[in-house]
Amino acid sequence: MGYVLDGGVTAKDGYLYTTGLNGIFKLNLKTGEIAQKSIKTDDFKVMASPKIIEDLLVMPTSTNGIKAYDPQTLEEKWHFSTGEALVYTSLTVVLTNINWLEP
């Protein structure tokens, strides 16, 4: 079965976290295999990436505000209703060990 990945990604402790239309996916960073998935009633069709802050996976939704999940279980810990707000974040890329002068 294929999945549509909608938002950006974030990584921690060997796992990559991303969202689909209404699901959160925890992927093995080395193999890309699904380690865990959780289908929600929320709509994650937003232009934002999940973020790991302290011990929470924080993710905006397009219908139910901002939600925080336990990154181990993907269970919801809390949510904050933003009302009719558009949540948008830009992609952050960190490059290391790059020698821009090499041909």
Side-chain angles (χ1 to χ4, degrees):
M1 176 177 201
Y3 296 97
V4 176
L5 299 180
D6 217 25
V9 298
T10 192
K12 184 177 180 185
D13 297 332
Y15 292 100
L16 188 75
Y17 297 87
T18 191
T19 60
L21 298 177
N22 66 343
I24 300 173
F25 297 87
K26 181 178 177 181
L27 308 175
N28 182 297
L29 191 57
K30 290 185 179 183
T31 67
E33 301 222 354
I34 297 173
Q36 190 174 1
K37 70 177 177 179
S38 181
I39 303 302
K40 307 294 185 184
T41 58
D42 299 304
D43 190 345
F44 293 112
K45 292 185 290 189
V46 295
M47 296 180 287
S49 302
K51 300 290 183 195
I52 300 219
I53 303 169
E54 296 182 11
D55 291 331
L56 294 172
L57 176 65
V58 180
M59 185 63 214
T61 71
S62 63
T63 54
N64 296 316
I66 299 170
K67 294 201 170 187
Y69 301 92
D70 181 313
Q72 301 302 315
T73 65
L74 302 182
E75 293 295 319
E76 183 180 322
K77 298 305 243 173
W78 57 260
H79 78 273
F80 172 76
S81 178
T82 56
E84 293 189 29
L86 176 62
V87 180
Y88 174 82
T89 60
S90 60
L91 176 65
T92 302
V93 177
V94 177
L95 300 174
T96 59
N97 298 324
I98 301 294
N99 185 344
W100 296 105
L101 300 178
E102 284 185 8

